[in-house]
Amino acid sequence: TIYMPNAFSPNGKNKIFKPVGVFIDIQGYDLSIVDRWGQLLFESNDPDVGWDGKGKSGKLAEEGIYVYLLTYTSSKGEYFQKRGTVTLLR
């Protein structure tokens, strides 16, 4: 089971955006964050590494809504894909 938060604040209590769940096969895991223009800001293949609200250049991303794409393989070998939005609050 995977839960995706719908908002986070790098300066607040929820400093990192990442899925919350169990039974993920690390080999099939990929989390990508893109801005409203489709530019890739963040990508990780490690479930323990989440987005800290910065772009690839290291600059802070603006407050707003971003799109995530999560793909993973369950412990039973089932492939899943989740898409949605996350709000970045400053």
Side-chain angles (χ1 to χ4, degrees), residues 4 17 29-34 40-45 51 66-71 82 84 86:
M4 294 298 291
F17 172 76
Y29 178 91
D30 184 67
L31 174 63
S32 301
I33 308 290
V34 297
L40 182 66
L41 298 178
F42 173 81
E43 187 170 30
S44 175
N45 298 106
W51 184 40
Y66 294 85
V67 176
Y68 70 81
L69 173 62
L70 172 67
T71 57
K82 287 187 162 222
V86 59

Side-chain angles (χ1 to χ4, degrees), residues 9-43:
S9 177
N11 301 328
K13 189 170 182 175
N14 299 325
K15 296 179 187 291
I16 303 290
F17 172 76
K18 65 181 183 177
V20 178
V22 292
F23 306 115
I24 299 174
D25 182 354
I26 293 173
Q27 303 217 350
Y29 178 91
D30 184 67
L31 174 63
S32 301
I33 308 290
V34 297
D35 63 17
R36 61 182 163 206
W37 297 282
Q39 181 179 358
L40 182 66
L41 298 178
F42 173 81
E43 187 170 30

Side-chain angles (χ1 to χ4, degrees), residues 6-8 10 13 16 41 49 52 56-57 59-61 67 69 71 74 76 84-85 88:
N6 59 6
F8 80 111
K13 189 170 182 175
I16 303 290
L41 298 178
V49 177
D52 62 1
K56 286 200 170 223
S57 66
K59 294 174 79 175
L60 297 175
V67 176
L69 173 62
T71 57
S74 74
K76 294 180 182 180
T85 58
L88 171 61

